Short mmCIF file of all heavy atoms in Angstrom, two decimals:
data_model
loop_
_atom_site.label_atom_id
_atom_site.label_comp_id
_atom_site.label_asym_id
_atom_site.label_seq_id
_atom_site.Cartn_x
_atom_site.Cartn_y
_atom_site.Cartn_z
N MET M 278 30.38 128.45 -120.14
CA MET M 278 30.35 128.52 -118.69
C MET M 278 29.56 129.75 -118.29
O MET M 278 29.34 130.65 -119.09
CB MET M 278 31.77 128.52 -118.14
CG MET M 278 32.53 129.80 -118.25
SD MET M 278 34.22 129.60 -117.66
CE MET M 278 34.98 130.80 -118.70
N THR M 279 29.15 129.78 -117.04
CA THR M 279 28.32 130.87 -116.53
C THR M 279 29.15 131.78 -115.64
O THR M 279 29.89 131.31 -114.78
CB THR M 279 27.15 130.30 -115.71
OG1 THR M 279 26.40 129.42 -116.52
CG2 THR M 279 26.25 131.41 -115.20
N LEU M 280 29.01 133.08 -115.86
CA LEU M 280 29.64 134.09 -115.00
C LEU M 280 28.56 134.81 -114.22
O LEU M 280 27.55 135.24 -114.78
CB LEU M 280 30.42 135.11 -115.84
CG LEU M 280 30.96 136.33 -115.10
CD1 LEU M 280 31.98 135.93 -114.04
CD2 LEU M 280 31.57 137.32 -116.08
N LYS M 281 28.80 134.93 -112.90
CA LYS M 281 27.91 135.70 -112.03
C LYS M 281 28.76 136.75 -111.32
O LYS M 281 29.67 136.40 -110.57
CB LYS M 281 27.24 134.80 -111.00
CG LYS M 281 26.35 133.74 -111.61
CD LYS M 281 25.77 132.85 -110.54
CE LYS M 281 24.95 131.74 -111.15
NZ LYS M 281 24.40 130.84 -110.13
N LEU M 282 28.49 138.02 -111.58
CA LEU M 282 29.15 139.15 -110.90
C LEU M 282 28.16 139.72 -109.91
O LEU M 282 27.13 140.28 -110.31
CB LEU M 282 29.53 140.23 -111.90
CG LEU M 282 30.80 140.08 -112.70
CD1 LEU M 282 30.89 141.15 -113.77
CD2 LEU M 282 32.01 140.13 -111.81
N ILE M 283 28.46 139.57 -108.63
CA ILE M 283 27.48 139.90 -107.60
C ILE M 283 28.09 140.86 -106.58
O ILE M 283 29.18 140.63 -106.08
CB ILE M 283 27.04 138.62 -106.87
CG1 ILE M 283 26.52 137.59 -107.88
CG2 ILE M 283 26.01 138.91 -105.80
CD1 ILE M 283 26.45 136.18 -107.34
N SER M 284 27.35 141.93 -106.27
CA SER M 284 27.73 142.82 -105.17
C SER M 284 26.69 142.66 -104.07
O SER M 284 25.70 141.95 -104.26
CB SER M 284 27.79 144.28 -105.63
OG SER M 284 26.50 144.81 -105.80
N ALA M 285 26.88 143.32 -102.95
CA ALA M 285 25.91 143.25 -101.86
C ALA M 285 24.58 143.87 -102.25
O ALA M 285 23.54 143.51 -101.71
CB ALA M 285 26.47 143.94 -100.62
N GLN M 286 24.60 144.79 -103.21
CA GLN M 286 23.39 145.50 -103.60
C GLN M 286 22.66 144.90 -104.80
O GLN M 286 21.45 145.02 -104.90
CB GLN M 286 23.72 146.96 -103.94
CG GLN M 286 24.18 147.80 -102.78
CD GLN M 286 25.65 147.58 -102.45
OE1 GLN M 286 26.43 147.19 -103.29
NE2 GLN M 286 26.01 147.80 -101.20
N GLU M 287 23.41 144.26 -105.73
CA GLU M 287 22.76 143.82 -106.97
C GLU M 287 23.60 142.79 -107.71
O GLU M 287 24.78 142.60 -107.42
CB GLU M 287 22.54 145.02 -107.89
CG GLU M 287 23.84 145.68 -108.35
CD GLU M 287 23.63 146.91 -109.20
OE1 GLU M 287 22.74 146.87 -110.07
OE2 GLU M 287 24.34 147.89 -108.99
N VAL M 288 22.97 142.16 -108.68
CA VAL M 288 23.67 141.28 -109.61
C VAL M 288 24.08 142.15 -110.79
O VAL M 288 23.23 142.70 -111.50
CB VAL M 288 22.77 140.11 -110.08
CG1 VAL M 288 23.47 139.29 -111.14
CG2 VAL M 288 22.36 139.25 -108.91
N LEU M 289 25.39 142.32 -110.99
CA LEU M 289 25.89 143.19 -112.05
C LEU M 289 25.87 142.51 -113.41
O LEU M 289 25.67 143.15 -114.43
CB LEU M 289 27.32 143.64 -111.72
CG LEU M 289 27.47 144.40 -110.41
CD1 LEU M 289 28.94 144.59 -110.08
CD2 LEU M 289 26.75 145.72 -110.48
N PHE M 290 26.10 141.19 -113.42
CA PHE M 290 26.06 140.42 -114.67
C PHE M 290 25.83 138.97 -114.33
O PHE M 290 26.37 138.45 -113.37
CB PHE M 290 27.40 140.56 -115.43
CG PHE M 290 27.45 139.74 -116.70
CD1 PHE M 290 26.94 140.25 -117.88
CD2 PHE M 290 27.98 138.46 -116.70
CE1 PHE M 290 26.97 139.49 -119.05
CE2 PHE M 290 28.02 137.70 -117.86
CZ PHE M 290 27.51 138.22 -119.04
N SER M 291 25.01 138.32 -115.13
CA SER M 291 24.82 136.88 -115.03
C SER M 291 24.54 136.38 -116.43
O SER M 291 23.55 136.80 -117.05
CB SER M 291 23.65 136.55 -114.10
OG SER M 291 23.50 135.14 -114.00
N GLY M 292 25.43 135.52 -116.94
CA GLY M 292 25.23 135.03 -118.29
C GLY M 292 26.33 134.08 -118.73
O GLY M 292 27.28 133.82 -117.99
N GLU M 293 26.18 133.58 -119.93
CA GLU M 293 27.14 132.64 -120.50
C GLU M 293 28.33 133.40 -121.09
O GLU M 293 28.15 134.42 -121.77
CB GLU M 293 26.48 131.80 -121.59
CG GLU M 293 25.43 130.84 -121.05
CD GLU M 293 26.01 129.84 -120.06
OE1 GLU M 293 27.02 129.18 -120.40
OE2 GLU M 293 25.46 129.73 -118.95
N VAL M 294 29.52 132.91 -120.80
CA VAL M 294 30.75 133.53 -121.30
C VAL M 294 31.70 132.43 -121.79
O VAL M 294 31.55 131.26 -121.44
CB VAL M 294 31.45 134.37 -120.20
CG1 VAL M 294 30.57 135.53 -119.77
CG2 VAL M 294 31.84 133.52 -119.01
N THR M 295 32.69 132.85 -122.58
CA THR M 295 33.70 131.89 -123.06
C THR M 295 35.01 132.03 -122.29
O THR M 295 35.79 131.10 -122.26
CB THR M 295 33.97 132.07 -124.56
OG1 THR M 295 34.39 133.42 -124.81
CG2 THR M 295 32.72 131.76 -125.37
N GLN M 296 35.25 133.21 -121.69
CA GLN M 296 36.44 133.41 -120.87
C GLN M 296 36.24 134.57 -119.92
O GLN M 296 35.44 135.47 -120.18
CB GLN M 296 37.68 133.66 -121.74
CG GLN M 296 37.67 134.98 -122.48
CD GLN M 296 38.89 135.15 -123.36
OE1 GLN M 296 39.28 134.22 -124.06
NE2 GLN M 296 39.49 136.31 -123.32
N VAL M 297 36.96 134.50 -118.79
CA VAL M 297 36.92 135.55 -117.77
C VAL M 297 38.34 135.82 -117.32
O VAL M 297 39.09 134.88 -117.04
CB VAL M 297 36.07 135.13 -116.55
CG1 VAL M 297 36.02 136.26 -115.52
CG2 VAL M 297 34.68 134.71 -116.95
N THR M 298 38.75 137.09 -117.26
CA THR M 298 40.06 137.47 -116.74
C THR M 298 39.83 138.25 -115.46
O THR M 298 39.02 139.18 -115.42
CB THR M 298 40.83 138.33 -117.77
OG1 THR M 298 40.92 137.60 -118.99
CG2 THR M 298 42.22 138.66 -117.27
N LEU M 299 40.55 137.84 -114.41
CA LEU M 299 40.32 138.37 -113.07
C LEU M 299 41.59 138.94 -112.47
O LEU M 299 42.69 138.40 -112.69
CB LEU M 299 39.80 137.25 -112.16
CG LEU M 299 38.48 136.62 -112.63
CD1 LEU M 299 38.38 135.18 -112.18
CD2 LEU M 299 37.33 137.43 -112.10
N PRO M 300 41.48 140.02 -111.65
CA PRO M 300 42.66 140.63 -111.00
C PRO M 300 42.97 139.95 -109.66
O PRO M 300 42.56 140.41 -108.59
CB PRO M 300 42.22 142.08 -110.81
CG PRO M 300 40.73 141.99 -110.60
CD PRO M 300 40.28 140.84 -111.47
N GLY M 301 43.66 138.84 -109.70
CA GLY M 301 44.02 138.11 -108.49
C GLY M 301 45.06 138.86 -107.67
O GLY M 301 45.80 139.69 -108.20
N VAL M 302 45.14 138.57 -106.40
CA VAL M 302 46.10 139.21 -105.52
C VAL M 302 47.54 138.93 -105.96
O VAL M 302 48.41 139.78 -105.86
CB VAL M 302 45.87 138.77 -104.05
CG1 VAL M 302 46.97 139.27 -103.14
CG2 VAL M 302 44.51 139.26 -103.57
N MET M 303 47.77 137.75 -106.52
CA MET M 303 49.12 137.38 -106.97
C MET M 303 49.29 137.59 -108.48
O MET M 303 50.25 137.12 -109.06
CB MET M 303 49.42 135.94 -106.59
CG MET M 303 49.43 135.76 -105.07
SD MET M 303 49.99 134.15 -104.55
CE MET M 303 51.71 134.23 -104.99
N GLY M 304 48.36 138.30 -109.10
CA GLY M 304 48.45 138.59 -110.53
C GLY M 304 47.17 138.24 -111.26
O GLY M 304 46.32 137.51 -110.76
N GLU M 305 47.05 138.80 -112.45
CA GLU M 305 45.88 138.56 -113.28
C GLU M 305 45.86 137.11 -113.76
O GLU M 305 46.90 136.55 -114.07
CB GLU M 305 45.94 139.52 -114.48
CG GLU M 305 44.71 139.53 -115.33
CD GLU M 305 44.80 140.59 -116.42
OE1 GLU M 305 45.43 140.30 -117.45
OE2 GLU M 305 44.25 141.68 -116.23
N PHE M 306 44.66 136.51 -113.80
CA PHE M 306 44.55 135.15 -114.31
C PHE M 306 43.26 134.99 -115.11
O PHE M 306 42.31 135.74 -114.93
CB PHE M 306 44.64 134.11 -113.19
CG PHE M 306 43.53 134.16 -112.17
CD1 PHE M 306 42.45 133.30 -112.26
CD2 PHE M 306 43.58 135.04 -111.10
CE1 PHE M 306 41.43 133.32 -111.32
CE2 PHE M 306 42.57 135.08 -110.15
CZ PHE M 306 41.49 134.21 -110.26
N MET M 307 43.27 133.99 -116.00
CA MET M 307 42.15 133.75 -116.89
C MET M 307 41.50 132.42 -116.56
O MET M 307 42.18 131.45 -116.24
CB MET M 307 42.61 133.75 -118.35
CG MET M 307 41.47 133.55 -119.35
SD MET M 307 42.05 133.50 -121.06
CE MET M 307 42.53 135.22 -121.28
N VAL M 308 40.17 132.38 -116.66
CA VAL M 308 39.40 131.16 -116.47
C VAL M 308 38.71 130.84 -117.79
O VAL M 308 38.05 131.70 -118.37
CB VAL M 308 38.35 131.33 -115.35
CG1 VAL M 308 37.48 130.09 -115.23
CG2 VAL M 308 39.02 131.66 -114.03
N LEU M 309 38.88 129.60 -118.25
CA LEU M 309 38.24 129.11 -119.47
C LEU M 309 37.32 127.94 -119.12
O LEU M 309 37.32 127.45 -118.00
CB LEU M 309 39.30 128.66 -120.47
CG LEU M 309 40.29 129.73 -120.95
CD1 LEU M 309 41.41 129.09 -121.77
CD2 LEU M 309 39.59 130.81 -121.74
N GLN M 310 36.57 127.50 -120.11
CA GLN M 310 35.67 126.35 -119.95
C GLN M 310 36.42 125.17 -119.33
O GLN M 310 37.57 124.90 -119.68
CB GLN M 310 35.13 125.96 -121.34
CG GLN M 310 34.11 124.86 -121.34
CD GLN M 310 32.72 125.32 -120.96
OE1 GLN M 310 32.44 126.51 -120.91
NE2 GLN M 310 31.86 124.38 -120.68
N ASN M 311 35.78 124.46 -118.41
CA ASN M 311 36.31 123.27 -117.74
C ASN M 311 37.55 123.54 -116.88
O ASN M 311 38.36 122.64 -116.66
CB ASN M 311 36.60 122.15 -118.75
CG ASN M 311 35.33 121.70 -119.44
OD1 ASN M 311 34.28 121.59 -118.82
ND2 ASN M 311 35.41 121.48 -120.74
N HIS M 312 37.68 124.77 -116.39
CA HIS M 312 38.79 125.12 -115.50
C HIS M 312 38.68 124.32 -114.21
O HIS M 312 37.59 123.99 -113.75
CB HIS M 312 38.75 126.62 -115.19
CG HIS M 312 40.00 127.17 -114.61
ND1 HIS M 312 40.37 126.95 -113.30
CD2 HIS M 312 40.97 127.94 -115.14
CE1 HIS M 312 41.51 127.56 -113.06
NE2 HIS M 312 41.91 128.18 -114.17
N ALA M 313 39.80 124.01 -113.60
CA ALA M 313 39.81 123.33 -112.31
C ALA M 313 39.12 124.20 -111.26
O ALA M 313 39.15 125.43 -111.34
CB ALA M 313 41.24 123.04 -111.88
N SER M 314 38.52 123.57 -110.27
CA SER M 314 37.87 124.31 -109.19
C SER M 314 38.90 125.13 -108.42
O SER M 314 40.03 124.68 -108.22
CB SER M 314 37.19 123.34 -108.23
OG SER M 314 36.13 122.67 -108.88
N LEU M 315 38.49 126.34 -108.01
CA LEU M 315 39.38 127.18 -107.21
C LEU M 315 38.59 128.24 -106.48
O LEU M 315 37.46 128.57 -106.86
CB LEU M 315 40.47 127.84 -108.06
CG LEU M 315 40.12 128.93 -109.07
CD1 LEU M 315 40.00 130.29 -108.41
CD2 LEU M 315 41.18 129.00 -110.13
N ILE M 316 39.19 128.75 -105.42
CA ILE M 316 38.69 129.92 -104.69
C ILE M 316 39.88 130.85 -104.55
O ILE M 316 40.97 130.41 -104.19
CB ILE M 316 38.13 129.54 -103.32
CG1 ILE M 316 36.91 128.64 -103.46
CG2 ILE M 316 37.77 130.79 -102.52
CD1 ILE M 316 36.37 128.11 -102.15
N SER M 317 39.68 132.15 -104.84
CA SER M 317 40.78 133.10 -104.77
C SER M 317 40.27 134.46 -104.33
O SER M 317 39.10 134.80 -104.57
CB SER M 317 41.45 133.22 -106.15
OG SER M 317 42.51 134.16 -106.12
N THR M 318 41.15 135.23 -103.71
CA THR M 318 40.82 136.62 -103.39
C THR M 318 41.19 137.49 -104.60
O THR M 318 42.09 137.16 -105.37
CB THR M 318 41.58 137.11 -102.14
OG1 THR M 318 42.97 136.88 -102.32
CG2 THR M 318 41.09 136.39 -100.90
N LEU M 319 40.48 138.59 -104.73
CA LEU M 319 40.70 139.53 -105.83
C LEU M 319 41.06 140.89 -105.28
O LEU M 319 40.59 141.29 -104.22
CB LEU M 319 39.44 139.63 -106.70
CG LEU M 319 38.90 138.33 -107.28
CD1 LEU M 319 37.56 138.58 -107.98
CD2 LEU M 319 39.91 137.72 -108.24
N MET M 320 41.88 141.62 -106.03
CA MET M 320 42.23 142.98 -105.64
C MET M 320 41.55 143.96 -106.58
O MET M 320 40.87 143.56 -107.53
CB MET M 320 43.75 143.16 -105.67
CG MET M 320 44.40 142.88 -107.01
SD MET M 320 46.19 142.96 -106.91
CE MET M 320 46.48 144.56 -107.61
N ALA M 321 41.73 145.23 -106.33
CA ALA M 321 41.14 146.25 -107.20
C ALA M 321 41.65 146.08 -108.61
O ALA M 321 42.83 145.80 -108.83
CB ALA M 321 41.49 147.64 -106.67
N GLY M 322 40.76 146.21 -109.58
CA GLY M 322 41.13 146.08 -110.97
C GLY M 322 39.90 145.86 -111.83
O GLY M 322 38.79 146.23 -111.45
N THR M 323 40.11 145.21 -112.96
CA THR M 323 39.04 145.02 -113.94
C THR M 323 38.78 143.54 -114.16
O THR M 323 39.70 142.77 -114.42
CB THR M 323 39.42 145.66 -115.30
OG1 THR M 323 39.76 147.04 -115.08
CG2 THR M 323 38.28 145.58 -116.29
N VAL M 324 37.51 143.16 -114.04
CA VAL M 324 37.07 141.83 -114.45
C VAL M 324 36.68 141.95 -115.91
O VAL M 324 35.81 142.76 -116.26
CB VAL M 324 35.87 141.34 -113.61
CG1 VAL M 324 35.36 140.01 -114.14
CG2 VAL M 324 36.23 141.26 -112.15
N LYS M 325 37.35 141.19 -116.78
CA LYS M 325 37.07 141.23 -118.21
C LYS M 325 36.50 139.89 -118.64
O LYS M 325 36.94 138.85 -118.16
CB LYS M 325 38.34 141.52 -119.00
CG LYS M 325 38.94 142.88 -118.68
CD LYS M 325 40.26 143.07 -119.39
CE LYS M 325 41.36 142.88 -118.37
NZ LYS M 325 42.69 143.12 -118.88
N TYR M 326 35.52 139.94 -119.54
CA TYR M 326 34.92 138.69 -120.01
C TYR M 326 34.51 138.82 -121.47
O TYR M 326 34.36 139.92 -122.00
CB TYR M 326 33.72 138.29 -119.14
CG TYR M 326 32.62 139.33 -119.06
CD1 TYR M 326 31.58 139.35 -119.99
CD2 TYR M 326 32.63 140.30 -118.06
CE1 TYR M 326 30.58 140.31 -119.91
CE2 TYR M 326 31.63 141.25 -117.98
CZ TYR M 326 30.60 141.24 -118.90
OH TYR M 326 29.61 142.19 -118.83
N VAL M 327 34.36 137.67 -122.11
CA VAL M 327 33.85 137.59 -123.48
C VAL M 327 32.58 136.75 -123.40
O VAL M 327 32.62 135.59 -122.95
CB VAL M 327 34.87 136.94 -124.44
CG1 VAL M 327 34.29 136.85 -125.85
CG2 VAL M 327 36.18 137.72 -124.44
N ASP M 328 31.44 137.34 -123.81
CA ASP M 328 30.19 136.60 -123.70
C ASP M 328 30.05 135.59 -124.83
O ASP M 328 30.90 135.51 -125.72
CB ASP M 328 28.99 137.54 -123.59
CG ASP M 328 28.65 138.29 -124.87
OD1 ASP M 328 29.14 137.92 -125.95
OD2 ASP M 328 27.86 139.24 -124.77
N ALA M 329 28.99 134.82 -124.81
CA ALA M 329 28.79 133.73 -125.77
C ALA M 329 28.70 134.23 -127.21
O ALA M 329 28.99 133.49 -128.14
CB ALA M 329 27.55 132.93 -125.40
N ALA M 330 28.31 135.51 -127.39
CA ALA M 330 28.22 136.09 -128.74
C ALA M 330 29.55 136.69 -129.19
O ALA M 330 29.65 137.24 -130.29
CB ALA M 330 27.13 137.16 -128.76
N GLY M 331 30.59 136.62 -128.35
CA GLY M 331 31.90 137.17 -128.69
C GLY M 331 32.07 138.63 -128.34
O GLY M 331 33.05 139.25 -128.74
N VAL M 332 31.14 139.19 -127.59
CA VAL M 332 31.20 140.60 -127.20
C VAL M 332 31.99 140.74 -125.90
O VAL M 332 31.75 140.02 -124.93
CB VAL M 332 29.78 141.18 -127.01
CG1 VAL M 332 29.83 142.63 -126.55
CG2 VAL M 332 28.99 141.06 -128.30
N ASN M 333 32.95 141.67 -125.89
CA ASN M 333 33.76 141.93 -124.70
C ASN M 333 32.98 142.78 -123.70
O ASN M 333 32.28 143.70 -124.07
CB ASN M 333 35.05 142.67 -125.06
CG ASN M 333 35.99 141.82 -125.88
OD1 ASN M 333 36.08 140.62 -125.70
ND2 ASN M 333 36.71 142.45 -126.79
N GLY M 334 33.14 142.43 -122.43
CA GLY M 334 32.53 143.21 -121.35
C GLY M 334 33.53 143.35 -120.22
O GLY M 334 34.53 142.62 -120.17
N SER M 335 33.27 144.28 -119.33
CA SER M 335 34.18 144.47 -118.20
C SER M 335 33.45 145.15 -117.04
O SER M 335 32.40 145.76 -117.23
CB SER M 335 35.40 145.29 -118.59
OG SER M 335 35.02 146.60 -118.95
N ALA M 336 34.05 145.01 -115.86
CA ALA M 336 33.53 145.67 -114.66
C ALA M 336 34.71 146.02 -113.77
O ALA M 336 35.58 145.18 -113.54
CB ALA M 336 32.56 144.76 -113.93
N GLU M 337 34.75 147.25 -113.30
CA GLU M 337 35.78 147.68 -112.35
C GLU M 337 35.35 147.23 -110.96
O GLU M 337 34.20 147.40 -110.57
CB GLU M 337 35.93 149.20 -112.37
CG GLU M 337 36.50 149.74 -113.67
CD GLU M 337 37.93 149.28 -113.92
OE1 GLU M 337 38.73 149.23 -112.98
OE2 GLU M 337 38.23 148.96 -115.09
N ILE M 338 36.31 146.65 -110.21
CA ILE M 338 36.02 146.21 -108.85
C ILE M 338 37.07 146.78 -107.89
O ILE M 338 38.18 147.12 -108.32
CB ILE M 338 35.95 144.68 -108.73
CG1 ILE M 338 37.31 144.02 -109.01
CG2 ILE M 338 34.87 144.11 -109.65
CD1 ILE M 338 37.36 142.54 -108.66
N THR M 339 36.71 146.85 -106.63
CA THR M 339 37.67 147.30 -105.62
C THR M 339 38.25 146.14 -104.82
O THR M 339 39.10 146.32 -103.98
CB THR M 339 37.00 148.30 -104.65
OG1 THR M 339 35.86 147.68 -104.06
CG2 THR M 339 36.57 149.56 -105.39
N GLY M 340 37.76 144.93 -105.11
CA GLY M 340 38.24 143.72 -104.46
C GLY M 340 37.10 142.74 -104.33
O GLY M 340 35.95 143.05 -104.64
N GLY M 341 37.42 141.52 -103.90
CA GLY M 341 36.39 140.52 -103.71
C GLY M 341 36.96 139.12 -103.66
O GLY M 341 38.15 138.94 -103.42
N ILE M 342 36.09 138.15 -103.92
CA ILE M 342 36.51 136.75 -103.99
C ILE M 342 35.87 136.11 -105.21
O ILE M 342 34.84 136.58 -105.70
CB ILE M 342 36.13 135.96 -102.72
CG1 ILE M 342 34.62 135.99 -102.48
CG2 ILE M 342 36.88 136.46 -101.51
CD1 ILE M 342 34.17 135.05 -101.39
N VAL M 343 36.49 135.05 -105.70
CA VAL M 343 35.94 134.30 -106.83
C VAL M 343 35.92 132.82 -106.47
O VAL M 343 36.82 132.32 -105.81
CB VAL M 343 36.74 134.54 -108.13
CG1 VAL M 343 38.18 134.08 -108.00
CG2 VAL M 343 36.07 133.84 -109.31
N ASP M 344 34.86 132.15 -106.88
CA ASP M 344 34.72 130.71 -106.74
C ASP M 344 34.47 130.15 -108.13
O ASP M 344 33.54 130.59 -108.81
CB ASP M 344 33.56 130.37 -105.81
CG ASP M 344 33.29 128.88 -105.75
OD1 ASP M 344 34.21 128.13 -105.36
OD2 ASP M 344 32.16 128.46 -106.09
N VAL M 345 35.31 129.21 -108.55
CA VAL M 345 35.14 128.54 -109.84
C VAL M 345 34.83 127.09 -109.54
O VAL M 345 35.61 126.41 -108.87
CB VAL M 345 36.42 128.65 -110.71
CG1 VAL M 345 36.23 127.90 -112.02
CG2 VAL M 345 36.79 130.10 -110.95
N ASN M 346 33.68 126.61 -110.04
CA ASN M 346 33.29 125.23 -109.78
C ASN M 346 32.28 124.78 -110.84
O ASN M 346 31.26 125.45 -111.04
CB ASN M 346 32.69 125.10 -108.38
CG ASN M 346 32.56 123.67 -107.93
OD1 ASN M 346 33.29 122.80 -108.39
ND2 ASN M 346 31.63 123.42 -107.03
N ASN M 347 32.56 123.67 -111.49
CA ASN M 347 31.65 123.09 -112.48
C ASN M 347 31.17 124.09 -113.53
O ASN M 347 29.98 124.20 -113.80
CB ASN M 347 30.45 122.43 -111.80
CG ASN M 347 30.84 121.22 -111.01
OD1 ASN M 347 31.74 120.48 -111.39
ND2 ASN M 347 30.16 120.99 -109.90
N ASN M 348 32.10 124.83 -114.12
CA ASN M 348 31.83 125.81 -115.17
C ASN M 348 30.92 126.96 -114.72
O ASN M 348 30.22 127.56 -115.54
CB ASN M 348 31.27 125.13 -116.42
CG ASN M 348 32.34 124.36 -117.16
OD1 ASN M 348 33.46 124.83 -117.32
ND2 ASN M 348 32.01 123.15 -117.58
N VAL M 349 30.95 127.26 -113.42
CA VAL M 349 30.28 128.46 -112.90
C VAL M 349 31.34 129.29 -112.20
O VAL M 349 32.02 128.81 -111.29
CB VAL M 349 29.14 128.10 -111.91
CG1 VAL M 349 28.53 129.37 -111.34
CG2 VAL M 349 28.08 127.26 -112.59
N VAL M 350 31.49 130.55 -112.65
CA VAL M 350 32.44 131.48 -112.07
C VAL M 350 31.62 132.51 -111.29
O VAL M 350 30.93 133.33 -111.88
CB VAL M 350 33.29 132.17 -113.15
CG1 VAL M 350 34.28 133.14 -112.53
CG2 VAL M 350 33.99 131.15 -114.05
N SER M 351 31.67 132.43 -109.96
CA SER M 351 30.93 133.34 -109.09
C SER M 351 31.89 134.35 -108.50
O SER M 351 32.81 133.98 -107.76
CB SER M 351 30.25 132.56 -107.96
OG SER M 351 29.36 131.61 -108.49
N VAL M 352 31.68 135.63 -108.83
CA VAL M 352 32.54 136.71 -108.34
C VAL M 352 31.72 137.57 -107.39
O VAL M 352 30.73 138.18 -107.79
CB VAL M 352 33.07 137.57 -109.51
CG1 VAL M 352 33.96 138.69 -108.98
CG2 VAL M 352 33.83 136.72 -110.53
N CYS M 353 32.11 137.57 -106.12
CA CYS M 353 31.47 138.42 -105.11
C CYS M 353 32.39 139.60 -104.86
O CYS M 353 33.54 139.43 -104.44
CB CYS M 353 31.27 137.64 -103.82
SG CYS M 353 30.21 136.21 -104.02
N ILE M 354 31.88 140.81 -105.18
CA ILE M 354 32.74 141.99 -105.11
C ILE M 354 32.34 142.87 -103.94
O ILE M 354 31.21 142.85 -103.45
CB ILE M 354 32.70 142.78 -106.42
CG1 ILE M 354 31.30 143.26 -106.76
CG2 ILE M 354 33.26 141.95 -107.55
CD1 ILE M 354 31.24 144.18 -107.95
N TYR M 355 33.32 143.68 -103.50
CA TYR M 355 33.11 144.62 -102.40
C TYR M 355 32.38 145.83 -102.92
O TYR M 355 32.46 146.22 -104.02
CB TYR M 355 34.43 145.06 -101.77
CG TYR M 355 35.31 143.93 -101.28
CD1 TYR M 355 36.68 144.01 -101.41
CD2 TYR M 355 34.78 142.80 -100.68
CE1 TYR M 355 37.50 143.01 -100.96
CE2 TYR M 355 35.60 141.78 -100.23
CZ TYR M 355 36.97 141.89 -100.37
OH TYR M 355 37.79 140.89 -99.92
#
C-alpha cells in the first residue's frame, strides 16, 4: 500500500509500506494492506511505518487527519 505524509509546506514521505500506525483521537491504530476505507482525526504523537524493504520509519505530528482508501493512506498533518 502507499503512504503519503503531507503537510501544508511539503510532502514528508511518499512510498510503499507494509503497515502504518497512527495516533488516533480515540487511541493508536494500525492500518494494513486491504484495510477498510476510513477517515479519522489524529492527535499529537508519532506516525510509525514499515516500508516495503522492512525498514522502520516515523514522523512526529501535532495533529491532522487520515484518509484510507484503496490501499492509499493519506495523512494530512498540521
